[in-house]
Amino acid sequence: MNNQAREYIDKTIEKVKTQNPFELEFHQAVTEVLNSLKPLLESEPKYITNNIFERIVIPERTIIFRVCWMDDNSTMQTNTGYRVQFNSAVGIYKGGLRLHPSVNLGIMKFLGFEQIFKNALTGLNIGGAKGGSDFNPKGKSDGEILRFCQSFMNELYRHIGATRDVPAGDIGVGAREIGYLFGQYKRLTANFDGVLTGKGLEWGGSLVRKEATGYGSVYFARSVLASVGKEIKGMRCCVSGSGNVALYTIQKLQSLGAIVIACSDSKGTIYNEHGLDFNTLIELKELNDMELKEYAKIHTKSVYTPTKDYAPNSRHIWSIACDLAFPSATQNELNLNDAKNLVANGAILVNEGANMPTTLDATEYLINNGVLFAPAKAANAGGVATSQLEMAQNSSMTRWSFEEVDKKLLEISNNIYTIAYDTAKEFGYEGNLIIGANIAGFRRVADAMITQGI
Ligand code: NDP
Ligand code: 2IT
């Protein structure tokens, strides 16, 4: 049986690599998830006999489309748009839209694949999807963003719907973009419905959605620390990124008494041993889309390190001594060198706010060196879970208070921790939340697939 499970996993991973050449991030996500399912396959051969692996690694539907838009010089620009509707076994397709020049099919598929299990872990009825474009929002005028979003929706609208597929934000997609996308959807369909989440509070959005991923990430970290008798208060934290997830991670950490000593953006890292000022960060990054280097001009005792001064093959932020590390920017932003620095400096927890921020070898190193590890699909699920709470409010035409939504978010985060912890323990890997989260998420989806037939 052991060999059969191993062979089945290896065979599937090899097939994924052969059939999806060059999609390196997708290979990475599949490799991580499938390898961690070995204990489950050994005890439950039905997943092998039902050929679940072959099915689960292929999206149910992939939409790739051309997005033409007019820039401010009246020159026509063209980008590629994507929506990968990966798996609907447990619910409506759900997942964000990413606008970043690095976007390609492999990145969309890795994100969609991760989203399947993340969404399943929430216990809610949401399936996995992801979308976006290689459009670079940086340096674009408001009019250019508007025209891009409208053109993107001109194709996407026919594939989504409040009970079919509900996109949301991700890198490069925040309140402004969701507004433009929603406006165009409404114009094209004449429907005012919950087709996107992260909407404005006056037109169907939910309180706490903006904060949810960051808050949820910290709630999750709190559960992990509690399991070893520690608390967040007084912990020195490094949070990479300074976008939506990072900012609200910082706010919640500070409100719980942690000292956030560093954060970053794509251009550099800011450090202050006495802690960073949240309001300045919001002013610069959320409200004005400015570079983090401006922070050091306001808080002159802070130290700014531009990316050109980073040590080779490492991110400066992970060489700063801290207790808790919250990679919350992008995929593969914490590599083996970074993991070695964190271990050498005594970090006790890596809590993934971004999707797949830690490379496979770095993850292995951290775990082998006794660092607590909270995997993305468990730690950052608060965002999508609160999106589902937004959908629930939309469909019942009600509105919940901040406290009500926050309480539900906390409950969901705590439940995810419990299910990941208990599942790892059930298979003899107590404390390994990667194995726990992957098995629990996969089992729910795979059982639904089997029950629903081919
Ligand atoms: P934002 O666009 O709001 O912020 C992204 C941040 O990361 C920015 O500070 C950006 O720098 C930095 N960044 C992005 N790409 C790179 C890169 N290639 N190298 C260095 N820095 C980079 O995105 P979010 O905060 O929404 O998303 C961050 C991560 O969290 C992503 O992995 C996303 O998939 C994940 N996530 C997001 C959720 C959400 O609800 N938004 C939910 C769950 C996960 P700069 O400011 O210079 O652009
Ligand atoms: O990666 C993610 O979970 C998100 N970008 C949020 C998705 C959502 O539908 O809220």
Side-chain angles (χ1 to χ4, degrees):
M1 193 64 236
N2 284 10
N3 279 346
Q4 196 191 353
R6 184 72 268 155
E7 278 166 24
Y8 187 53
I9 292 166
D10 291 344
K11 191 184 81 183
T12 314
I13 294 173
E14 269 323 298
K15 198 169 166 194
V16 165
K17 289 181 177 171
T18 313
Q19 292 190 335
N20 307 273
F22 312 116
E23 295 178 5
L24 300 184
E25 291 84 0
F26 182 49
H27 301 170
Q28 183 181 340
V30 169
T31 302
E32 193 237 280
V33 171
L34 298 197
N35 274 329
S36 70
L37 298 174
K38 185 162 166 277
L40 176 70
L41 295 194
E42 285 166 358
S43 68
E44 287 280 3
K46 71 174 175 183
Y47 301 113
I48 301 181
T49 50
N50 280 283
N51 291 337
I52 288 297
F53 275 19
E54 287 92 324
R55 287 197 257 163
I56 212 162
V57 297
I58 299 180
E60 288 173 11
R61 190 173 300 101
T62 303
I63 301 137
I64 305 181
F65 51 100
R66 189 178 64 185
V67 186
C68 299
W69 53 281
M70 203 69 93
D71 70 16
D72 288 344
N73 300 319
S74 296
T75 303
M76 214 257 285
Q77 301 288 344
T78 307
N79 289 98
T80 305
Y82 301 88
R83 186 69 181 167
V84 179
Q85 298 177 332
F86 222 120
N87 193 298
S88 61
V90 300
I92 300 165
Y93 297 117
K94 186 82 196 86
L97 297 173
R98 176 176 292 192
L99 298 182
H100 194 272
S102 63
V103 162
N104 57 36
L105 184 58
I107 289 183
M108 293 286 98
K109 280 165 67 179
F110 115 65
L111 288 162
F113 187 70
E114 288 285 295
Q115 199 83 41
I116 303 170
F117 310 108
K118 180 197 309 197
N119 293 5
L121 275 176
T122 66
L124 305 168
N125 289 111
I126 38 182
K130 201 79 190 191
S133 173
D134 58 356
F135 173 78
N136 184 2
K138 283 264 167 342
K140 299 290 189 299
S141 70
D142 208 45
E144 289 175 328
I145 301 278
L146 172 71
R147 291 191 292 279
F148 172 83
C149 287
Q150 291 185 333
S151 180
F152 185 81
M153 188 52 85
N154 283 348
E155 174 58 34
L156 188 68
Y157 87 97
R158 60 186 100 241
H159 308 288
I160 61 176
T163 55
R164 184 172 174 188
D165 182 356
V166 180
D170 194 81
I171 291 177
V173 176
R176 174 180 60 169
E177 292 73 22
I178 294 293
Y180 294 158
L181 291 163
F182 185 77
Q184 188 69 354
Y185 178 84
K186 196 157 54 68
R187 187 173 299 127
L188 290 164
T189 63
N191 283 334
F192 190 108
D193 56 20
V195 68
L196 292 157
T197 56
K199 298 186 290 301
L201 295 178
E202 296 308 321
W203 41 278
S206 174
L207 288 158
V208 194
R209 176 60 189 92
K210 182 173 71 172
E211 296 85 355
T213 312
Y215 282 17
S217 172
V218 178
Y219 293 150
F220 196 86
R222 185 165 62 179
S223 297
V224 179
L225 289 173
S227 72
V228 292
K230 293 190 192 304
E231 57 176 27
I232 282 182
K233 191 161 186 275
M235 292 284 178
R236 293 159 61 79
C237 307
C238 286
V239 181
S240 66
S242 48
N244 174 267
V245 178
L247 288 172
Y248 291 97
T249 298
I250 293 171
Q251 188 190 39
K252 183 53 80 177
L253 282 170
Q254 291 181 338
S255 77
L256 294 174
I259 308 148
V260 180
I261 54 175
C263 72
S264 61
D265 65 9
S266 55
K267 305 277 167 45
T269 300
I270 193 88
Y271 166 73
N272 187 322
E273 61 172 323
H274 301 298
L276 300 175
D277 181 60
F278 175 72
N279 291 331
T280 309
L281 291 172
I282 285 284
E283 186 71 27
L284 290 175
K285 298 299 298 187
E286 186 180 272
L287 301 177
N288 291 298
D289 197 19
M290 290 166 80
E291 288 183 26
L292 211 44
K293 69 174 177 212
E294 300 301 321
Y295 186 97
K297 294 181 188 158
I298 301 165
H299 298 277
T300 49
K301 295 214 168 84
S302 304
V303 181
Y304 178 74
T305 308
T307 47
K308 71 176 172 49
D309 294 345
Y310 289 5
N313 194 22
S314 75
R315 301 271 167 136
H316 180 69
I317 194 163
W318 309 129
S319 65
I320 297 170
C322 67
D323 303 306
L324 315 180
F326 290 83
S328 308
T330 193
Q331 65 274 357
N332 292 328
E333 55 158 312
L334 197 166
N335 65 22
L336 184 58
N337 281 339
D338 301 321
K340 287 180 178 168
N341 284 335
L342 285 169
V343 169
N345 287 324
I348 57 171
L349 165 68
V350 171
N351 199 82
E352 295 188 319
N355 286 309
M356 205 170 76
T358 317
T359 60
L360 290 175
D361 51 359
T363 307
E364 198 182 333
Y365 186 86
L366 291 166
I367 289 180
N368 289 342
N369 283 278
V371 178
L372 297 166
F373 191 87
K377 61 176 74 66
N380 74 28
V384 74
T386 308
S387 278
Q388 197 277 352
L389 301 178
E390 182 172 327
M391 291 159 70
Q393 291 169 80
N394 291 162
S395 63
S396 57
M397 296 197 175
T398 48
R399 204 167 159 188
W400 302 333
S401 69
F402 192 96
E403 290 69 29
E404 236 175 319
V405 182
D406 192 33
K407 187 163 167 265
K408 288 180 201 292
L409 165 63
L410 175 62
E411 274 167 19
I412 294 169
S413 296
N414 289 347
N415 286 344
I416 295 174
Y417 176 77
T418 305
I419 190 178
Y421 184 87
D422 289 351
T423 307
K425 191 170 171 194
E426 179 189 338
F427 288 90
Y429 289 86
E430 190 169 346
N432 188 326
L433 297 173
I434 301 179
I435 290 186
N438 284 340
I439 292 184
F442 171 85
R443 188 158 52 176
R444 182 169 174 226
V445 175
D447 288 349
M449 288 168 72
I450 292 169
T451 314
Q452 290 169 25
I454 297 171

